[in-house]
């Protein structure tokens, strides 16, 4: 068995500067490594969540990492304590809201889209009444 210390996605996407700005300003991530010609690594100081972004067509990477990620079918979920408040903050920051806030499946959630085209589901889990 291979033991690991953490897990995070690495997304192949252009415009690392816009992606960095989005995650730092909207969610408080810190850029722990940033070379705009190559790679961006983000860490949330409050939760330890990590995200990596790799520029497409970088000559040091294998061919299968040259293609920009297709954002369709990919959702990143970020759990929050208060989705209603987070929704108000997202609107105030003029984030690209691609799904309005709603309550379903024991959650209150909404989705925004980042500069790479990925959808981010902002989720608050709520208590379900027992049947």
């Amino acid at each position: 068995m291979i033991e690991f210390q953490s897990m995070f996605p690495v997304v192949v996407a252009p415009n690392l500067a816009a992606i960095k700005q989005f995650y730092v300003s909207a969610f408080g991530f810190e850029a722990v490594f940033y070379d705009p010609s190559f790679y961006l690594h983000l860490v949330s100081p409050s939760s330890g969540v990590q995200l990596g972004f790799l520029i497409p067509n970088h000559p040091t990477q294998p061919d299968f990492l040259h293609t920009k990620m297709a954002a369709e079918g990919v959702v990143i979920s970020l759990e929050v304590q208060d989705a209603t408040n987070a929704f108000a903050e997202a609107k105030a920051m003029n984030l690209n809201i691609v799904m309005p806030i709603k309550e379903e499946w024991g959650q209150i959630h909404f989705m925004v889209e980042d500069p790479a085209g990925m959808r981010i589901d902002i989720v608050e889990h709520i208590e379900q009444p027992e049947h």
Side-chain angles (χ1 to χ4, degrees):
M1 172 175 60
I2 298 173
E3 293 185 31
F4 59 91
Q5 297 176 332
S6 66
M7 181 181 130
F8 54 90
V10 175
V11 177
V12 179
N15 199 352
L16 298 185
I19 293 168
K20 176 180 172 278
Q21 173 63 29
F22 174 82
Y23 282 94
V24 168
S25 64
F27 301 111
F29 278 84
E30 292 180 358
V32 295
F33 181 87
Y34 177 53
D35 177 341
S37 69
F38 173 59
Y39 185 77
L40 167 64
H41 195 89
L42 300 166
V43 176
S44 167
S46 63
S47 68
V49 169
Q50 300 179 59
L51 291 169
F53 293 90
L54 177 67
I55 204 83
N57 300 311
H58 197 274
T60 65
Q61 297 301 318
D63 288 345
F64 64 84
L65 289 177
H66 285 208
T67 305
K68 184 181 119 183
M69 177 206 72
E72 290 75 28
V74 175
V75 175
I76 293 176
S77 290
L78 297 178
E79 187 174 346
V80 298
Q81 287 187 332
D82 184 344
T84 303
N85 186 55
F87 184 69
E89 290 180 27
K91 286 174 56 176
M93 289 186 282
N94 292 315
L95 298 184
N96 184 14
I97 297 170
V98 295
M99 185 186 84
I101 194 163
K102 58 183 168 178
E103 184 176 330
E104 59 188 355
W105 312 312
Q107 303 174 335
I108 299 172
H109 66 129
F110 66 97
M111 290 189 195
V112 299
E113 186 174 274
D114 79 1
M118 282 196 314
R119 279 56 174 228
I120 302 160
D121 192 15
I122 312 298
V123 179
E124 172 190 352
H125 296 282
I126 55 176
E127 295 288 323
Q128 289 289 351
E130 296 203 22
H131 301 292

